[in-house]
Structure formats: C-alpha cells, structure tokens
Amino acid sequence: MKGDLPFEQPLEELRAKIEDVKRFGIERGIDFSEEIARLEERYAKLEEEIYSNLTASQRLLIARHPQRPTALDYIHAIFENFIELHGDRVYGDDLAIVGGIGKLNGIPVTVVGHQKGKDTKDNIARNFGMPHPEGFRKGLRLMKQADKFRRPIITFIDTPGAYPGGAAEERGQAEAIARNLFEMAKFRVPIICVIIGEGGSGGALALGVGNRILMLENAVYSVSSPEAAASILYKDASQSLKAAEAMKITADSILELGVADGIVPEPRGGAHRDMQQQAAYIKEALLAHLDPLLQMNEQELREDRYRKYRAIGKFAFTQQIGEVQ
C-alpha cells in the first residue's frame, strides 16, 4: 500500500504475494483458494503481531504519517454546520491554526485546532502545522468568544511545536503561548483537548489546557520534539527515534502519568487507514466526556481543571545523611 512505513514492509510484501497468487489463478483458471486462505491467515497473524507490539518510535512514525487525517478532516466529519472563522484582529490570519463554530450532536461548540497541510504546497502555506503568535491569538479569540456565549470548547492538537523563527519571536511567541495557558485555565465552559497526531512542546500546550485530555492510540505528547531532545541528549538530531523511546511520549505512557484522561482507539494500522471510522471513535469519546462536564457549573468546571493539573507530577524527597552543622 502506498505510504507504508518501514516496519510494515513484511505486510506489504505478503499482501503483494497474495495479490499475485489471486491474479495468476484468474489468468490460468486454477483454483488457489486453499493457498490464498493460508496466506490470508498468515497475513492476519503477522498484522496482529506487528500492531500489538508497536514501539514508541513506530507510533511516532504513524503519528507523522503524511496521509494521517488532519484537524479539518475530523471537524468536517464530526461537527454539523461548521463555520470557519479567521484572523486574530491584531496581525493576520495564521493558517497553521483553524477554528470556528459548529454543532456536536446538536450542541453548539467552538472548535480550534492545529492544521497541517495535505501536500507540499499546503504544508508551506500552513507552516507544517507550526503556529506563529497570531495563530495562538486567533485560537484564544475564538475560545474567549466561546466562553462569553457559554459554548463548550474542543481543541485538536497536532503540531511539532510552535514556530521557532525570529519573526515569531519578535511578535511575541512566548507571551502568546503563556497567555493561552493563563486564559484557558480560567474559562467557565467545558474544555476537551484531543491529541490527534503530534503534541509537541509549547505549541501543543497552547491549546492543551482542558478539563479532559484525550489521545488517539498512536498519537504522541512530549515536552519537546524527539529531534530537539536528541540534539540535547545525544548531540545528534538524527537519533530522534532513540530519543522517542526514552521520553515516554506514547498514549499509554501519558495516561499512566496522569496527563491524559483517555485513549481513543484507532483502526488497525492507524487513523489514515479509515478516517471515517476514526472520526466516529473521536465523536463517541467527545460525547462520553462532554456529558458529565455539562452537568457542572462554572465554579465546578474551573475547580475540576485546577485539580487535574495540580495532580500531575510526582515529588520525591531524599534525606541527607550526616550531621547537621
């Protein structure tokens, strides 16, 4: 299949063999049904073995798959009557952040997310999903509007990180991220954050302060990109897959650490295998988590959000041995 990842090569080769046998049987009029059945069984076992034992580096590759669905794919599949809104009312319209108003099973909501491109031209226009300050300010403008009109907020996180260029820094990149964190913590409406691909560094955090954080099965969430971590830890950015293994960035690890509140399953092989099925899984999870949040009042929502983040992290105390002078 076009776009297969390196660890999927054995599956690709076996699938090609099955197709060859089928084609040969049709051309020669020979019944190879038993042989095909054996190969199909072998394929199913190999598929189960591969996808049931994915490493962090393999999940990172799936999260970055060029055909992986983007925020807009899910938005149009999940929400009804979605209207995209543009601009931060200060500088411009950053296409790396998309957002607007729609309905989730009839419930008016505001949706904001990172948006990667579908091809090279689109990726350049959307800066590969790495927002400038105006992108974060656009997202905050829409979320403030949601808070004003009491609409729940849904965010889709999928970015390698905030854009680190000089122009972004000059326009207040760090302040824009910090402002989002500060304001999102105070909102009086339910906030659900869904990590659909990469959740990288401050760029992810700027849309990641919510009552609930959900991760797709093959999504990753990290304090920095594996490339940046590899540059620091190993002095070699090419060691990013090695860094990914050490950083505990997968959904299982993030859930265990108490950062994520739930894992959304993916179709076998990743979300790009069946986008409609993946959208259905996400919608089901959103509704399940949103319903109890809608029962809370403003103060309860704030306190719920505070308790969630206050509980993240562990402290270890050591006692120094020796006499006190």
Side-chain angles (χ1 to χ4, degrees):
M1 180 181 291
K2 184 179 180 182
D4 281 341
L5 299 169
F7 64 88
E8 296 175 314
Q9 189 66 27
L11 285 174
E12 184 180 2
E13 293 173 354
L14 187 52
R15 173 53 60 189
K17 183 176 181 179
I18 293 171
E19 296 303 322
D20 287 342
V21 173
K22 288 181 178 179
R23 185 167 51 251
F24 185 77
I26 294 173
E27 291 174 354
R28 299 301 177 89
I30 304 174
D31 183 10
F32 285 115
S33 57
E34 290 186 7
E35 176 66 16
I36 292 172
R38 284 195 295 270
L39 289 173
E40 292 282 7
E41 183 180 356
R42 182 179 165 192
Y43 182 91
K45 289 181 179 178
L46 181 60
E47 186 180 50
E48 176 67 23
E49 179 182 340
I50 289 175
Y51 293 123
S52 298
N53 299 281
L54 291 173
T55 65
S57 59
Q58 288 170 337
R59 292 190 188 278
L60 176 63
L61 292 174
I62 295 176
R64 291 176 169 177
H65 197 288
Q67 296 172 8
R68 192 169 178 87
T70 65
L72 281 177
D73 290 327
Y74 292 130
I75 287 171
H76 291 303
I78 295 172
F79 303 95
E80 310 101 45
N81 305 320
F82 177 73
I83 301 173
E84 186 174 355
L85 303 175
H86 298 271
D88 69 340
R89 304 297 187 266
V90 176
Y91 181 84
D93 186 32
D94 186 353
L95 298 182
I97 293 283
V98 295
I101 304 168
K103 289 186 177 180
L104 177 63
N105 266 21
I107 303 171
V109 297
T110 289
V111 190
V112 180
H114 301 96
Q115 179 65 27
K116 293 181 177 179
K118 289 289 192 178
D119 51 37
T120 301
K121 182 179 179 181
D122 195 20
N123 260 317
I124 292 173
R126 297 190 182 277
N127 204 33
F128 297 86
M130 296 186 292
H132 288 74
E134 52 270 23
F136 296 126
R137 290 175 181 135
K138 173 171 70 172
L140 181 58
R141 179 177 74 84
L142 298 182
M143 289 188 284
K144 282 185 172 181
Q145 182 191 78
D147 187 57
K148 178 179 179 180
F149 292 103
R150 301 299 189 270
R151 290 191 298 265
I153 298 168
I154 311 294
T155 69
F156 289 115
I157 296 170
D158 186 18
T159 180
Y163 183 61
E169 298 296 341
E170 289 172 0
R171 296 200 295 273
Q173 185 72 288
E175 190 278 337
I177 294 172
R179 178 64 58 182
N180 276 32
L181 301 179
F182 179 75
E183 296 291 349
M184 289 182 76
K186 300 190 301 178
F187 286 151
R188 300 164 292 178
V189 296
I191 305 175
I192 301 179
C193 309
V194 187
I195 304 170
I196 60 174
E198 288 185 88
S201 193
L205 290 176
L207 298 185
V209 180
N211 296 89
R212 301 291 181 269
I213 294 179
L214 307 178
M215 290 185 68
L216 268 60
E217 183 180 348
N218 293 310
V220 296
Y221 199 25
S222 60
V223 68
S224 69
S225 70
E227 287 79 10
S231 297
I232 297 169
L233 296 174
Y234 309 119
K235 311 302 180 185
D236 182 2
S238 67
Q239 298 293 315
S240 60
L241 296 183
K242 180 180 178 182
E245 297 289 346
M247 292 169 66
K248 303 295 183 183
I249 63 176
T250 62
D252 286 340
S253 295
I254 300 299
L255 182 66
E256 184 180 348
L257 291 169
V259 177
D261 301 289
I263 298 176
V264 181
E266 295 191 24
R268 181 60 61 84
H272 58 285
R273 301 290 187 185
D274 190 341
M275 194 280 291
Q276 291 300 327
Q277 182 63 66
Q278 185 63 71
Y281 287 151
I282 295 173
K283 184 174 183 178
E284 181 182 0
L286 287 174
L287 290 170
H289 285 274
L290 183 58
D291 184 61
L293 293 175
L294 289 172
Q295 309 308 314
M296 298 182 186
N297 61 37
E298 297 175 1
Q299 187 60 30
E300 289 171 337
L301 286 167
R302 286 177 169 177
E303 290 176 355
D304 175 81
R305 207 173 300 135
Y306 173 82
R307 286 195 301 268
K308 171 180 173 53
Y309 287 90
R310 189 67 181 86
I312 293 174
K314 296 180 180 179
F315 298 90
F317 297 93
T318 60
Q319 183 176 0
Q320 185 176 356
I321 300 175
E323 295 181 356
V324 178
Q325 300 297 326

